[in-house]
Amino acid sequence: MAIDLKSPAAQQILEKLVKWADVLIVNTPHPARKRLKLEYEDVAKWNPRLIYADVTGFGDKDRMQGSPGFDITSYWARSGLLSMTRDMGAPPTGPSPPAVTTRRPSASTRRS
């Protein structure tokens, strides 16, 4: 599901979802959360038992805390880990994508 949190209608949808949810995972930078009324104080009033998971690319105390960032930029590149995924002298490569299977089990492996 995707909703545009900038619209009033989406805020109503968000409220309904939060009232129903056990956990809300938020991965937007703090300035955007504030604008979108997506901070803990904003959503906890709808569901006081809500578990609020605050995930940001640069954390709460880094000088870049308000910047957007995800795995490849935040962790791999800034930590130097990305440079360890290549041969010496070769250009950097990205981390391997996770191994995921999308095929359905065959009839012989399905449980009844």
Side-chain angles (χ1 to χ4, degrees):
M1 172 187 298
I3 57 175
D4 179 1
L5 293 174
K6 296 174 189 168
S7 78
Q11 284 292 322
Q12 292 174 345
I13 293 168
L14 177 66
E15 180 178 349
K16 288 179 184 177
L17 289 171
V18 167
K19 284 179 177 178
W20 173 81
D22 294 317
V23 178
L24 177 64
I25 301 171
V26 181
N27 71 340
T28 55
H30 290 283
R33 273 184 228 179
K34 191 172 193 106
R35 282 192 312 273
L36 297 170
K37 295 185 170 78
L38 202 53
E39 294 184 302
Y40 175 76
E41 295 76 18
D42 299 316
V43 297
K45 65 185 175 195
W46 298 325
N47 182 349
R49 64 175 175 66
L50 183 72
I51 298 169
Y52 184 88
D54 176 349
V55 182
T56 60
F58 297 105
D60 292 336
K61 300 194 178 8
D62 189 279
R63 63 183 170 78
M64 295 182 69
Q65 70 182 9
S67 302
F70 297 95
D71 189 43
I72 190 77
T73 54
S74 301
Y75 312 117
W76 287 80
R78 291 187 77 221
S79 69
L81 190 59
L82 190 59
S83 68
M84 295 169 44
T85 64
R86 64 183 170 112
D87 293 328
M88 285 303 258
T93 59
S96 301
V100 177
T101 181
T102 56
R103 77 180 173 83
R104 295 177 178 207
S106 67
S108 62
T109 61
R110 286 190 193 136
R111 293 183 182 186
S112 337

